[in-house]
């Protein structure tokens, strides 16, 4: 008979209540909080990654997934000795191969010397159905610049931040690059199967480079639809990372959609840096992996031949290179935190180059 591990190891227990009588909760949709990576976040009824009308026009899958809050962040500053959160969720997504703290948890970073440094994961309790409350004590009181990442694979209706009633509260630190880098791709782009939100590769790049970003990863549903390209082309971007190889159902589908999508975006944004990425998989004996890579390379080379100087190519076949490459995925496809770190290293190097040009 299975047993709750927290009854055996108390260190793995997740408190269901907070003990802070002076705690006051503030709605992140109100001032002075600043929300990044989510569409029109302060006026929409729930948190979304793109407008509901656009999501519906793209596909049923994107409509369902656009309320998963991957890439969402709230930033603020406070001198409270503790930070609490209260999250209201309509449902909980469950994975066999991704922890609940990555699927539905939040994680917090504190600015140190101009860089976001991981501080705490707000871990949902086992069996959560409609939200949770969690608290973290710093142990001292001083002004801190805070970033809290939203869940990767779960909808969030409301989020409240709790601080002591006498604490100062003000807006968060601005990004060095406020115009976002936009990522479009598969479950990997969305963050499956990171252990917590801040370990998805777009978030890791954002932390290192201090750049705002928008995560348009749609698990199993990045299919290169014209309506998606139209939406992406309408966005203000500092760079575009084009990463949907894994979700193309066939090489023929990729051939029909990949260059066409690039050209639609290029027509609207002729100077936008575009970074082409192939699937992070070195199995070049796999015919589809090899052929897909060739299709993406062709889109890149065609652009170069046309004189396009704002295109870049990242070869996913070598992205997990380094010590213990076999530890880079959970299941041969979805990255572990080590895999995401290697992706952030390979892709982030190019993002840094185009941002600093």
């Amino acid at each position: 008979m299975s047993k709750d591990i927290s009854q055996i190891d108390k260190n793995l227990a997740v408190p269901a209540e907070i003990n802070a009588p002076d705690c006051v909760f503030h709605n992140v949709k109100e001032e002075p909080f600043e929300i990044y990576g989510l569409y029109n976040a302060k006026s929409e009824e729930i948190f979304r990654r793109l407008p509901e009308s656009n999501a519906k026009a793209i596909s049923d899958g994107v409509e369902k997934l656009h309320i998963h809050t991957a890439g969402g962040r709230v930033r603020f500053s406070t001198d409270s000795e503790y930070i609490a959160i209260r999250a209201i969720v309509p449902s909980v997504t469950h994975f066999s191969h991704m922890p609940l703290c990555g699927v539905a948890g939040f994680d917090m970073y504190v600015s140190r010397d101009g860089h976001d440094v991981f501080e705490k994961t707000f871990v949902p309790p086992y069996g959560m159905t409609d939200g949770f409350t969690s608290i973290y004590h710093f142990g001292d009181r001083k002004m801190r610049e805070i970033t809290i990442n939203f869940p990767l694979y779960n909808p969030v209706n409301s989020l409240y931040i709790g601080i002591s009633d006498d604490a100062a509260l003000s807006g968060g630190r601005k990004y060095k690059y406020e115009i976002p880098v936009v990522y479009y791709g598969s479950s990997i782009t969305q963050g499956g199967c990171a252990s917590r939100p801040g370990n998805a590769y777009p978030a890791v790049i954002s932390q290192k480079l201090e750049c705002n970003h928008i995560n348009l990863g749609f698990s199993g549903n990045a299919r290169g639809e014209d309506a998606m390209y139209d939406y992406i082309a309408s966005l203000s971007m500092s760079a575009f990372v084009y990463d949907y190889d894994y979700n193309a159902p066939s090489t023929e589908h990729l051939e029909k959609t990949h260059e066409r999508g690039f050209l639609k975006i290029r027509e609207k944004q002729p100077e936008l840096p575009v970074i082409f990425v192939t699937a992070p998989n070195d199995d070049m004996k796999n015919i589809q992996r090899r052929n897909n890579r060739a299709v993406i390379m062709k889109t890149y080379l065609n652009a170069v031949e046309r004189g396009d100087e704002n295109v870049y190519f990242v070869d996913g076949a070598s992205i997990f290179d380094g010590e213990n490459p076999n530890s880079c995925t959970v299941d041969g496809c979805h990255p572990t935190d080590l895999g995401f770190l290697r992706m952030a290293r390979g892709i982030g190097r190019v993002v840094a180059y185009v941002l600093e040009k």
Side-chain angles (χ1 to χ4, degrees):
M1 182 178 179
S2 63
K3 190 171 185 178
D4 184 347
I5 190 65
S6 66
Q7 297 178 23
I8 301 171
D9 184 349
K10 299 301 181 184
N11 294 314
L12 295 177
V14 177
E17 301 293 336
I18 65 171
N19 183 20
D22 64 343
C23 182
V24 176
F25 281 96
H26 302 263
N27 189 339
V28 300
K29 291 185 178 182
E30 299 174 355
E31 297 298 328
F33 297 99
E34 297 172 77
I35 302 174
Y36 293 86
L38 299 171
Y39 169 74
N40 208 14
K42 292 204 171 184
S43 58
E44 289 286 308
E45 182 180 359
I46 63 173
F47 294 110
R48 307 177 187 276
R49 288 188 283 157
L50 67 161
E52 183 179 20
S53 59
N54 291 84
K56 287 181 175 179
I58 294 164
S59 72
D60 290 343
V62 170
E63 181 185 358
K64 292 180 175 68
L65 291 167
H66 89 287
I67 59 173
H68 288 191
T69 54
R73 286 144 284 138
V74 58
R75 298 189 120 190
F76 60 97
S77 301
T78 184
D79 65 352
S80 179
E81 185 275 331
Y82 61 81
I83 300 293
I85 70 164
R86 177 173 292 159
I88 311 300
V89 304
S91 60
V92 180
T93 308
H94 290 286
F95 273 55
S96 295
H97 54 319
M98 184 173 176
L100 187 60
C101 51
V103 169
F106 297 76
D107 61 3
M108 178 170 65
Y109 287 70
V110 176
S111 176
R112 294 196 179 95
D113 299 323
H115 293 283
D116 291 339
V117 178
F118 171 69
E119 186 77 28
K120 166 69 176 176
T121 302
F122 295 108
V123 179
Y126 183 77
M128 178 189 76
T129 57
D130 56 2
F132 70 106
T133 301
S134 183
I135 191 169
Y136 174 71
H137 290 269
F138 292 106
D140 62 353
R141 184 162 181 172
K142 63 181 180 180
M143 204 68 181
R144 293 178 171 90
E145 295 171 321
I146 307 291
T147 300
I148 295 178
N149 293 302
F150 280 65
L152 295 168
Y153 264 88
N154 217 71
V156 178
N157 282 2
S158 303
L159 177 65
Y160 301 87
I161 302 297
I163 59 175
S164 56
D165 59 5
D166 62 344
L169 178 64
S170 58
R173 183 167 53 94
K174 298 295 184 181
Y175 283 104
K176 180 180 179 180
Y177 303 101
E178 280 280 311
I179 299 173
V181 178
V182 175
Y183 297 81
Y184 173 58
S186 66
S187 56
I188 295 174
T189 310
Q190 185 171 336
C193 294
S195 66
R196 54 182 177 82
N199 283 344
Y201 88 79
V204 176
I205 294 172
S206 180
Q207 294 147 23
K208 181 176 177 58
L209 302 180
E210 269 298 296
C211 60
N212 186 15
H213 75 282
I214 295 173
N215 186 323
L216 295 179
F218 296 99
S219 192
N221 284 272
R223 300 296 181 94
E225 300 91 346
D226 284 343
M228 176 60 80
Y229 292 134
D230 290 339
Y231 177 70
I232 292 171
S234 74
L235 297 174
S236 174
M237 299 177 272
S238 59
F240 176 53
V241 178
Y242 196 18
D243 176 28
Y244 82 105
D245 182 351
Y246 255 132
N247 277 177
S250 66
T251 299
E252 291 72 24
H253 179 93
L254 193 65
E255 285 181 310
K256 291 177 181 177
T257 57
H258 193 269
E259 186 165 30
R260 184 178 73 197
F262 164 67
L263 293 174
K264 286 175 74 71
I265 294 168
R266 178 55 84 225
E267 180 182 8
K268 297 292 185 181
Q269 303 205 35
E271 302 301 321
L272 175 71
V274 176
I275 302 168
F276 302 104
V277 182
T278 65
N281 190 319
D282 66 357
D283 184 12
M284 288 299 105
K285 294 179 182 178
N286 181 299
I287 294 174
Q288 184 169 348
R289 293 277 68 77
R290 188 170 66 243
N291 290 344
N292 282 13
R293 179 181 179 277
V295 168
I296 295 168
M297 175 65 85
K298 183 179 179 182
T299 301
Y300 165 72
L301 292 176
N302 286 346
V304 171
E305 288 174 7
R306 289 191 297 269
D308 194 325
E309 297 181 352
N310 275 316
V311 290
Y312 306 85
F313 181 83
V314 177
D315 188 357
S318 60
I319 214 161
F320 291 153
D321 284 356
E323 189 177 1
N324 297 325
N326 292 331
S327 297
C328 286
T329 71
V330 173
D331 52 5
C333 173
H334 298 93
T336 59
D337 290 345
L338 175 61
F340 277 124
L341 185 63
R342 299 258 170 96
M343 291 190 72
R345 177 189 64 186
I347 299 169
R349 189 179 297 126
V350 184
V351 174
Y353 174 78
V354 302
L355 292 178
E356 293 166 4
K357 281 181 66 177

